[in-house]
Amino acid sequence: MKEPREFARAHLTASYKVPIGSIRSLRVSVLVATLSLGLGGCATATLTSGTNLAKAGEAAAQQMQQNATISADSMTALRRAVAFNTGYNKGAGADDAKAFLDNMTSIQGRLSQYSKLLASLSASYSALGDLSAYDASGTFNSSMQTLVGDSTKFAAAVGSPITVPANVTQGLSTVGSLAIGAIQAQRVKDGSAKIEHVLKQIIGALDQPATRDKLVPVPGKISDQVDQAAIVLLKEGVYSYGPILDQLGAPMGLKSTSGSDAAIAKDDNARAGLLAVAGEMAAEQSAQLAASYDKSLAALKALVPMHDSLEKGAPVDLSQIASVTGQLQTIAASLQTTTSTSPAKGK
Amino acid sequence: MSGAPAPPTQDSVLASLSSAADAARQSYMNALTSTPAGTDLSQLYAKEMAALNAWSSAEDKALANDPAVAGAQGSLDAATKAVRNDLSNFKDVATSLTVVDNLVKLATTLSGFFA
């Protein structure tokens, strides 16, 4: 057994015999750490901006997906409404109604590419958020490949082909678990630039009047049929006029009562007036659906200057995107409100 | 000074068919909210479905990037205008039916160009 002094000497000597490669590695680490300390504030700001941009981008893409694609629930509601409307009209137009539903089913399938694209865009922003939090280059690269693939297919489907340069599809380099601020911040900037390139191409395709004319009328045609069925039932006295009366009287604090429907049933003029209001509400709903496309597009456009700020190392201004996504949420909420109709009171 | 109308494109024809379908629907809705309960509106509804079929058939083909484009768009737009005029001067179901019938015939003809 070595004396304590000998042990100490041997240990110190051994520590001086470090391989040259390790010394280089140590120097690089010290250099990067020094740079990281020097750029710490800047890197932190970029990573924070990356996180904020990721959240905004994810929200904008998800909102557009919600507002501008045909869900399975919407198709079910359409089929039921057309079945009712055709049955109510004693089978008149049944052949055209069936052809219309067949066409809408096909249209829903074609628009699924649109839904996939927006889901991919949202996933890419989510991956950018991960990249801002930790070394998630692998996830980001994979999401970018999916986004570019879906964008290309979508643009071809709407007749507006796009081209994506090789540097956009080229993945970010991975460095294992090394997560030094400056390197991570640079990766977030690179990732942002890649998403921004595809985002601009998507905006270009969606902003074309030809694309808009194809996409905007579809959800409106569905809601029109659903509203039509509801208005027929309202007219026949199956639904209560209560919700319409309450909305009409709200500015003056007036509310319907349990006797309202009975009073309206005896008054042709009141009933005609309220049916006209119901028709107006349906028209407003169609207009809101069309507006939601433009609002969603505006939200996507608002992301571009945020990308530019992040890539320049400047703080990201979230106020614009917050305003637009707020409007989108308001539209979505109002659409849910106008589609709900209460059953007749006391029936 | 009015020049020759711009040549129709697939997108402008599609927009005309969408407007025609909306006008046919509004005609039915107008009759629905302006007549007593139980009034037979089935023929107007059938026209609405025909117009929707014409639009959705063209929309489906347009989304598949079918490039077929046709004329007759001006006539359809004029018929759509006539239906909208009828909406603001609603007289009776029979008059609306005549106006919408003309619209649907034109829409059906026009949608045929997408085949």
Side-chain angles (χ1 to χ4, degrees), chain B residues 29 32 36 52 54 60 62 79 104:
Chain B
M29 287 292 290
L32 187 68
L52 273 174
D60 187 37
V104 171

Tab-separated table of all heavy atoms in Angstrom, chain B residues 29 32 36 52 54 60 62 79 104:
chain	number	residue	atom	x	y	z
B	29	MET	N	-84.888	29.550	-49.492
B	29	MET	CA	-84.961	30.075	-48.125
B	29	MET	C	-85.933	31.245	-48.036
B	29	MET	O	-86.664	31.399	-47.057
B	29	MET	CB	-83.576	30.527	-47.651
B	29	MET	CG	-82.628	29.390	-47.347
B	29	MET	SD	-83.139	28.435	-45.916
B	29	MET	CE	-82.814	29.613	-44.628
B	32	LEU	N	-89.277	29.897	-48.075
B	32	LEU	CA	-89.509	29.199	-46.809
B	32	LEU	C	-89.906	30.172	-45.697
B	32	LEU	O	-90.822	29.909	-44.922
B	32	LEU	CB	-88.221	28.460	-46.411
B	32	LEU	CG	-88.283	27.522	-45.213
B	32	LEU	CD1	-89.149	26.307	-45.526
B	32	LEU	CD2	-86.882	27.071	-44.826
B	36	PRO	N	-96.708	30.552	-45.531
B	36	PRO	CA	-97.251	29.881	-44.340
B	36	PRO	C	-96.707	28.460	-44.199
B	36	PRO	O	-96.285	27.863	-45.191
B	36	PRO	CB	-98.765	29.850	-44.606
B	36	PRO	CG	-99.008	30.789	-45.725
B	36	PRO	CD	-97.752	30.895	-46.510
B	52	LEU	N	-76.775	22.812	-56.688
B	52	LEU	CA	-75.685	22.344	-55.820
B	52	LEU	C	-74.919	21.194	-56.471
B	52	LEU	O	-73.690	21.090	-56.343
B	52	LEU	CB	-76.247	21.880	-54.469
B	52	LEU	CG	-76.404	22.953	-53.399
B	52	LEU	CD1	-77.111	22.382	-52.168
B	52	LEU	CD2	-75.055	23.536	-52.979
B	54	ALA	N	-74.561	20.757	-59.698
B	54	ALA	CA	-73.737	21.347	-60.774
B	54	ALA	C	-72.466	21.961	-60.204
B	54	ALA	O	-71.359	21.743	-60.715
B	54	ALA	CB	-74.551	22.402	-61.525
B	60	ASP	N	-65.407	19.514	-57.510
B	60	ASP	CA	-64.644	18.263	-57.349
B	60	ASP	C	-63.603	18.130	-58.463
B	60	ASP	O	-62.448	17.772	-58.209
B	60	ASP	CB	-65.620	17.081	-57.372
B	60	ASP	CG	-64.934	15.774	-57.035
B	60	ASP	OD1	-64.034	15.786	-56.180
B	60	ASP	OD2	-65.292	14.740	-57.629
B	62	ALA	N	-62.420	20.609	-60.316
B	62	ALA	CA	-61.441	21.700	-60.217
B	62	ALA	C	-60.366	21.375	-59.179
B	62	ALA	O	-59.189	21.647	-59.384
B	62	ALA	CB	-62.144	23.003	-59.844
B	79	ALA	N	-78.490	35.229	-65.127
B	79	ALA	CA	-79.589	34.480	-64.492
B	79	ALA	C	-79.484	34.564	-62.974
B	79	ALA	O	-80.488	34.678	-62.269
B	79	ALA	CB	-79.551	33.024	-64.944
B	104	VAL	N	-80.894	27.191	-63.141
B	104	VAL	CA	-80.377	25.830	-62.988
B	104	VAL	C	-80.046	25.215	-64.352
B	104	VAL	O	-79.045	24.508	-64.500
B	104	VAL	CB	-81.384	24.962	-62.201
B	104	VAL	CG1	-80.978	23.488	-62.226
B	104	VAL	CG2	-81.471	25.457	-60.762
